[in-house]
Amino acid sequence: MTVTDEQVAAPAVEPVPLRRNWRFQTLWAGSASSMLGTCVADTAYPLLLLAMTGSPTLAGAFGACQFGASVLFGLHGGVVADRYDRRRVLILADSVRLLTALSVAVALLLHRLTVPHTLLAAAVIGATMAYGAPSRMLALRAVVPPEQLRQALSQDELRVNGAALAGPPLAGLLLGLGRAVPFLTTVLTSALALGASVAVRFDSPARDGAATPRKEKGAAFAGLRHLFRSPVLRATVLVVVALNVAGSAMLLAVMVLLRDGGTSEVGTGLVLTGEAVGGLLGALFVSRLHGRLAPGALLLAVGWIAALMFALPAFAGGPVVVFAALTVMSLGVPALRVMLDVLVFQRVPEEMRGRAVAGTMTLLMGGLPIGSMTAGLLLDHLAADTVLLLLATALAAALLPATLGRGLRGTSWNS
């Protein structure tokens, strides 16, 4: 009796359902904890500085220091993620973040917290984000099989938008219980993130000798160069950056629009949650949108809907309309971010992904102050509804060449 190849071949192994993948769920919980702590800190620190000094300038300096450090070290964070063991990088970044949060909480409890200490903490937190975020993002993706990648990325979008929605009100609530309470909370969230990083092992290219050569010329920009050589990746990155720039400008414009219309500060804060609400809802439809739309079509659809939503409040600027516009505008953003992640995994070599992710994150963060500054300059001379129409027109003009051309519209997920 002859044994055939089919008889000795091992049966195909079904992947473990994502809900039972303990490595992914543990890393995801740690990542969600880290994100929630960041969103709480982003609100609590400025409010604390405002209460300590009465200076809006110093209150704003926290975000400037944190953001500046993230951008300054962003590209190098990608090099580190590709050169060294990502798990060790993540553990080190989470440990530094935990110690920083603990130092602030202890100083507050001892009534010894100073402004320089707080601003130094902001810079350190920003640096840990620059070095930890690429490794954390790649870790989440390293522990799931390729066929579950979209499902895993969709769950990750729930983390991002859920933290953005819950963080600011939670920070205000905790501050009401005592000045040190939000910062003790960030200690707890940092400890949970560190625990997840320690508990889960995942593959890292540095272990297999595929690390970035230490003297590679222009290593920090290699990921960006690879992204921009691909027409689809280049168009996706540029459109997402344009949406970030225009979106941050739109938020400032609608704040002014609502203020001029008599909406209270509390009401304005509630209206602005429309962005996070849209993101949460959109995360539930990522797989469906990816199944029905090719990358180019999805990119253009999200871009044009955003352009229309930018213009809508200019014609009817009440709180309900602005909330609806922000929600609708944000519905497609999770699908777009997941699309960028999927394309990076399909088209960027493993040994370069840390730099590609870090470069993309740096570009996205760099667009935020540009948008806010541009909107501020325009709002000094023009009415808010006029600024919104200008933003919609600028975004439409940026989308028009890609819409009329055939290259982007003809792309597929596997091309």
Side-chain angles (χ1 to χ4, degrees), residues 66 71 94 104 116 138 146 166 170 177 193 200 218 248 252 266 272 281 290 307 370 390:
Q66 178 179 308
V71 172
D94 285 343
V104 172
L138 292 168
L170 180 60
L177 300 176
V200 178
S248 62
L252 184 57
V266 174
L272 295 181
L281 294 174
H290 282 204
I370 294 173
L390 284 174

Side-chain angles (χ1 to χ4, degrees), residues 7-264:
Q7 288 172 311
V8 299
V13 178
E14 288 290 330
V16 176
L18 195 63
R19 67 180 182 277
R20 289 168 45 202
N21 183 336
W22 76 267
R23 291 201 301 163
F24 172 77
Q25 296 300 345
T26 301
L27 280 173
W28 183 88
S31 190
S33 179
S34 176
M35 179 64 72
L36 181 60
T38 297
C39 292
V40 168
D42 287 347
T43 300
Y45 274 103
L47 290 175
L48 176 66
L49 283 167
L50 193 60
M52 288 170 58
T53 66
S55 169
T57 301
L58 287 175
F62 177 86
C65 289
Q66 178 179 308
F67 171 81
S70 292
V71 172
L72 179 64
F73 295 108
L75 292 178
H76 189 251
V79 175
V80 170
D82 284 338
R83 179 175 291 169
Y84 300 104
D85 186 287
R86 290 169 183 164
R87 179 169 174 267
R88 292 181 181 178
V89 173
L90 188 54
I91 289 172
L92 180 59
D94 285 343
S95 298
V96 173
R97 188 186 183 94
L98 172 59
L99 291 174
T100 303
L102 186 61
S103 75
V104 172
V106 170
L108 263 175
L109 292 172
L110 297 176
H111 305 287
R112 296 289 182 88
L113 184 66
T114 63
V115 171
H117 183 170
T118 308
L119 296 183
L120 177 61
V124 173
I125 291 170
T128 60
M129 291 169 64
Y131 287 103
S135 292
R136 191 184 304 280
M137 290 177 67
L138 292 168
L140 283 168
R141 292 143 180 76
V143 296
V144 296
E147 59 267 30
Q148 292 180 343
L149 183 59
R150 280 188 178 83
Q151 184 184 355
L153 295 175
S154 300
Q155 183 173 326
D156 204 36
E157 284 296 315
L158 292 173
R159 165 186 68 91
V160 173
N161 291 288
L165 184 62
L170 180 60
L173 174 65
L174 294 173
L175 270 174
L177 300 176
R179 278 191 178 182
V181 177
F183 306 98
L184 291 170
T185 302
T186 62
V187 171
L188 176 61
T189 58
S190 299
L192 292 172
L194 175 59
S197 303
V198 171
V200 178
R201 295 185 179 276
F202 55 89
D203 295 332
S204 183
R207 288 183 176 176
D208 303 323
T212 304
R214 302 204 174 192
K215 294 185 179 180
E216 180 184 342
K217 207 170 182 180
F221 297 95
L224 282 176
R225 288 197 297 269
H226 191 89
L227 288 176
F228 278 83
R229 278 197 292 266
S230 165
V232 178
L233 281 171
R234 180 174 62 246
T236 304
V237 170
L238 291 177
V239 169
V240 173
V241 170
L243 286 172
N244 250 29
V245 173
S248 62
M250 180 204 183
L251 288 178
L252 184 57
V254 296
M255 287 180 196
V256 174
L257 187 72
L258 291 169
R259 182 201 65 187
D260 293 346
T263 304
S264 67

Side-chain angles (χ1 to χ4, degrees), residues 345-397:
F345 267 72
Q346 287 180 344
R347 305 177 186 214
V348 177
E350 167 64 31
E351 65 272 12
M352 204 179 290
R353 286 177 188 163
R355 285 166 287 171
V357 168
T360 303
M361 292 172 64
T362 301
L363 287 176
L364 294 179
M365 287 189 295
L368 296 176
I370 294 173
S372 297
M373 186 181 301
T374 301
L377 292 172
L378 291 173
L379 289 164
D380 282 340
H381 302 92
L382 301 171
D385 53 357
T386 303
V387 172
L388 287 169
L389 289 174
L390 284 174
L391 292 173
T393 302
L395 183 57

